[in-house]
Structure formats: structure tokens, C-alpha cells
């Protein structure tokens, strides 16, 4: 190593770029959960599918702003190559928003945490990717801790359970698919989102009449929009763009399991905020589960750091496409297309 080369800054086993991307995702993802909950719970705008379509419209506009700012260059792709991940993307977001609409924050998050073992199993079945035994133990501790933290105050109902299960399955497949598809197409996150966002907006808009009430006294057209509701929806739309962008960046730069661990860290804060903001039950059992989950997160991060130290060269190669082109450059700006 030459004297001019600087050693990458690391935190808990992750390089500085990954930490920045994960922090961006953390703030936006936590924010949108409560922005959406305010839209559904406080303002009674119970049209999750239509709200999701507005999210995708905002994401499309945000992507074009990023393009105008020179953050990426458009790469010519066949829209049909992007459509499968778009459908998965739509299901992932719509089903989880419907789960949040029909469930408490606690049950919504409990079902989301079950994505972790599902992702691990699917990685093994589809790609023959094994997770180190000690990491499996940590993931188990996280899952048990989150289950303990949320099971004491679940408000189960048929509709909520159905949408939660649909969200669980679609989330697992989406996280695996976006990582693999991005590498196969040899595009960076913004180049993929450039095609996916407008497709998703159109698909979800078509789904809206089937999943939301449009007409009638309690339909979308009859809702009396207030300035507060409008601002809440607008904030949720902006945060949706940030979540969509940061999710692509984080999964493309790391891997689905690391993204899941980030999700569990967000979960701890969301559960705490749910108690403070929405008056959800808090007791010794729930607090014990939160602490258990957080300890599992710290354990996973430390084990991953040790593994990365011993496999620095292979881990650097994992951030590249099949032709060696970085999926996300060190500066966060895509490399020029060949």
C-alpha cells in the first residue's frame, strides 16, 4: 500500500460509504413509517394503495431531479427486463402499507422481522449462499428479541394478518431480486430506479380501484382534504423517495441479510416511538425483548467485522458487477457506461 493511499474508515465492520448509506436509509425509513401512520391513523386517509402510487410518482420526479443534477447517466435497458422487479417492488410496498394500515405498529414490525429467516433460507435455496453459524445464532437472538418485544400487545385481525403475510413474502423475494437483478443488468441503483419508478407508479395506479374504495361516502373522491392531511401525505411522499433510493443503494452495496439487520435496528427505535407517539403498551417483557434484539444486532455487527477483516479482497469484489464495474462508486456517483 502506497503512502498516499488512505485506509478506509470503518464502523462496526462497515466502510464509511456503507455507514452513510445505511444512516440515510435509517432516517428515511423510520420517518416514513410514522408519516404513513399519521396519514392512516390521525387523518383517516385509509387509501394505502393510492398513497403508494403517489409515493412512486414522487420517486419518479425525484429520480429525474437526480438525473438533472448529474448523479447518474441513463443506461439503455429493455423495459421488460425491469418489469419483473417492478412488480415485486409494487407488491413489497403496497402490501406492507396495507399491513401498516390494518395493524398496530407492533404487529406490523413483528411480521417484518420474520423476513430475516426467510431471506436466509431463500439465499440458500436459490443461490446456495450460506450464513456463518455464529451469524445464524445472532439472527436468531434478534428474531426472538423482537418477537418478545411485540407479542405482548398484538391486535390480530384477519385482514391485517393476511396483508402482513403478503408483505412478508414479497419483501423477502424483493430484497433478493433487486440485489441480483442490479448485478445482472450491470446498472447502478439510480439507473435501475430510473426505469422502475414510473413503471411502479402506473402499476399501482391500476391496482388502486381493486384495493381502495374510490367512490361512495368513504371513498377517495369523498374525502375532505385538510391542510394537515395534505402536508402529511406530502411529507410521506418525499420520504418515500428517500426510502426507495436508499434501499436500492444499501442492498446494492451490501447484501440482503445486512439490510435486514439494519431493519432490526430501525425496529427498536420504531417500537419505542410507537409507545410514545401512539400510546402502544409498554411493559417489562417488551423492554426485555428490545434489549435482546439490540444485543443481537451488536453481536452480528462484531462477528461480521471480524469476518470482513479476514476476507477484505473478496468483500471488495462483491460490490462489483460481473464485468467488474462498481455498482456504486466510492464517491456515490455512478461510473460512466462503457
Amino acid at each position: 500500500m502506497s503512502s498516499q493511499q488512505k485506509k478506509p474508515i470503518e464502523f462496526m465492520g462497515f466502510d464509511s460509504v456503507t455507514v452513510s448509506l445505511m444512516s440515510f436509509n435509517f432516517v428515511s425509513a423510520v420517518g416514513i413509517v410514522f408519516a404513513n401512520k399519521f396519514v392512516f391513523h390521525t387523518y383517516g386517509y385509509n387509501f394505502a394503495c393510492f398513497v403508494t402510487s403517489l409515493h412512486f410518482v414522487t420517486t419518479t420526479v425525484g429520480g429525474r431531479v437526480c438525473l438533472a443534477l448529474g448523479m447518474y447517466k441513463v443506461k439503455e435497458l429493455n423495459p421488460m427486463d425491469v418489469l419483473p422487479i417492478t412488480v415485486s417492488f409494487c407488491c413489497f410496498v403496497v402490501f406492507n402499507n396495507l399491513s401498516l394500515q390494518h395493524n398496530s405498529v407492533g404487529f406490523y414490525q413483528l411480521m417484518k422481522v420474520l423476513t430475516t429467516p426467510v431471506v436466509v433460507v431463500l439465499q440458500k435455496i436459490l443461490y446456495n449462499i450460506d450464513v456463518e453459524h455464529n451469524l445464524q445464532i445472532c439472527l436468531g437472538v434478534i428474531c426472538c428479541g423482537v418477537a418478545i418485544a411485540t407479542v405482548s400487545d398484538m391486535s390480530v385481525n384477519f385482514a391485517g394478518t393476511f396483508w402482513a403475510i403478503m408483505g412478508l413474502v414479497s419483501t423477502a423475494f424483493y430484497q433478493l431480486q433487486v440485489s441480483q437483478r442490479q448485478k445482472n443488468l450491470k446498472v447502478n441503483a439510480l439507473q435501475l430506479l430510473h426505469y422502475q419508478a414510473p413503471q411502479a407508479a402506473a402499476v399501482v395506479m391500476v391496482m388502486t380501484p381493486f384495493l381502495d374504495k374510490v367512490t361512495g361516502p368513504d371513498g377517495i373522491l369523498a374525502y375532505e382534504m385538510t391542510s394537515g392531511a395534505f402536508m402529511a401525505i406530502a411529507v410521506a411522499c418525499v420520504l418515500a423517495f428517500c426510502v426507495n433510493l436508499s434501499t436500492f443503494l444499501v442492498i446494492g452495496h451490501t447484501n440482503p441479510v445486512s439490510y435486514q439487520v439494519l431493519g432490526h435496528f430501525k425496529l427498536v427505535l420504531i417500537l419505542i416511538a410507537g409507545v410514545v407517539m401512539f400510546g402502544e403498551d409498554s411493559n417489562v417483557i417488551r423492554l426485555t425483548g428490545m434489549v435482546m434484539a439490540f444485543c443481537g444486532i451488536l453481536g452480528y455487527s462484531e462477528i461480521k467485522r471480524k469476518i470482513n477483516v479476514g476476507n477484505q479482497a473478496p468483500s471488495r469484489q462483491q460490490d462489483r458487477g460481473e464485468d467488474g464495474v462498481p455498482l456504486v462508486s466510492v464517491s456515490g456517483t455512478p461510473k460512466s457506461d462503457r
Side-chain angles (χ1 to χ4, degrees):
M1 178 181 294
S2 65
S3 59
Q4 294 181 345
Q5 289 179 319
K6 295 182 179 180
K7 184 178 179 179
I9 300 175
E10 291 191 356
F11 176 74
M12 296 179 68
F14 299 105
D15 61 75
S16 58
V17 175
T18 302
V19 170
S20 299
L21 296 176
M22 290 177 122
S23 299
F24 177 33
N25 181 260
F26 176 82
V27 173
S28 57
V30 171
I32 196 172
V33 168
F34 292 101
N36 281 337
K37 197 63 178 178
F38 270 109
V39 170
F40 301 143
H41 181 268
T42 303
Y43 294 104
Y45 199 77
N46 295 312
F47 313 110
C49 195
F50 180 67
V51 170
T52 303
S53 69
L54 297 180
H55 291 178
F56 287 138
V57 170
T58 306
T59 299
T60 301
V61 175
R64 298 312 185 267
V65 171
C66 291
L67 176 63
L69 294 175
M71 294 179 63
Y72 71 100
K73 294 182 179 180
V74 177
K75 181 174 181 179
E76 293 297 328
L77 296 175
N78 184 346
M80 296 306 298
D81 291 335
V82 182
L83 187 58
I85 194 174
T86 296
V87 174
S88 177
F89 190 32
C90 292
C91 294
F92 154 60
V93 180
V94 170
F95 294 157
N96 277 289
N97 279 345
L98 285 167
S99 175
L100 182 60
Q101 176 181 318
H102 289 279
N103 294 310
S104 67
V105 173
F107 184 65
Y108 163 79
Q109 290 293 85
L110 172 63
M111 292 303 293
K112 285 189 68 175
V113 76
L114 295 180
T115 310
T116 302
V118 174
V119 167
V120 171
V121 170
L122 288 177
Q123 281 191 137
K124 175 61 177 178
I125 295 175
L126 299 177
Y127 307 115
N128 198 30
I129 298 176
D130 291 314
V131 176
E132 203 269 345
H133 179 67
N134 289 336
L135 293 180
Q136 294 180 22
I137 294 176
C138 290
L139 290 172
V141 171
I142 294 170
C143 292
C144 290
V146 173
I148 292 172
T150 58
V151 71
S152 61
D153 65 339
M154 292 190 305
S155 54
V156 180
N157 60 82
F158 177 79
T161 301
F162 174 78
W163 291 122
I165 293 174
M166 294 295 291
L168 165 65
V169 176
S170 60
T171 299
F173 274 103
Y174 168 73
Q175 290 183 14
L176 289 172
Q177 189 179 23
V178 65
S179 180
Q180 189 65 33
R181 180 73 62 165
Q182 182 175 324
K183 293 177 181 179
N184 290 343
L185 294 176
K186 302 180 179 66
V187 294
N188 60 60
L190 286 173
Q191 288 172 325
L192 186 58
L193 193 61
H194 178 88
Y195 288 90
Q196 183 182 3
Q199 285 185 351
V203 170
V204 178
M205 194 67 73
V206 172
M207 294 169 60
T208 296
F210 299 97
L211 297 176
D212 289 335
K213 292 183 179 180
V214 178
T215 59
D218 55 350
I220 297 174
L221 299 179
Y223 183 85
E224 296 183 8
M225 183 65 66
T226 64
S227 58
F230 179 82
M231 287 300 299
I233 294 171
V235 170
C237 286
V238 173
L239 288 173
F241 167 65
C242 295
V243 171
N244 291 332
L245 173 61
S246 61
T247 297
F248 270 94
L249 293 173
V250 170
I251 296 179
H253 195 71
T254 57
N255 58 69
V257 176
S258 293
Y259 179 77
Q260 275 300 311
V261 173
L262 172 64
H264 294 313
F265 189 78
K266 290 181 288 189
L267 168 82
V268 175
L269 180 60
I270 290 172
L271 288 174
I272 295 174
V275 173
V276 175
M277 299 175 67
F278 294 100
E280 295 188 6
D281 184 36
S282 178
N283 50 58
V284 175
I285 296 177
R286 165 172 270 209
L287 293 177
T288 300
M290 291 180 182
V291 173
M292 185 176 178
F294 189 69
C295 289
I297 293 169
L298 294 179
Y300 179 94
S301 300
E302 177 60 18
I303 294 172
K304 188 178 188 307
R305 183 191 66 79
K306 293 179 179 179
I307 293 175
N308 287 343
V309 168
N311 300 279
Q312 287 183 350
S315 66
R316 284 195 297 268
Q317 184 65 26
Q318 288 174 357
D319 287 339
R320 298 175 178 271
E322 293 179 354
D323 61 347
V325 178
L327 301 176
V328 180
S329 67
V330 175
S331 64
T333 303
K335 297 291 185 182
S336 59
D337 297 323
R338 295 184 300 172

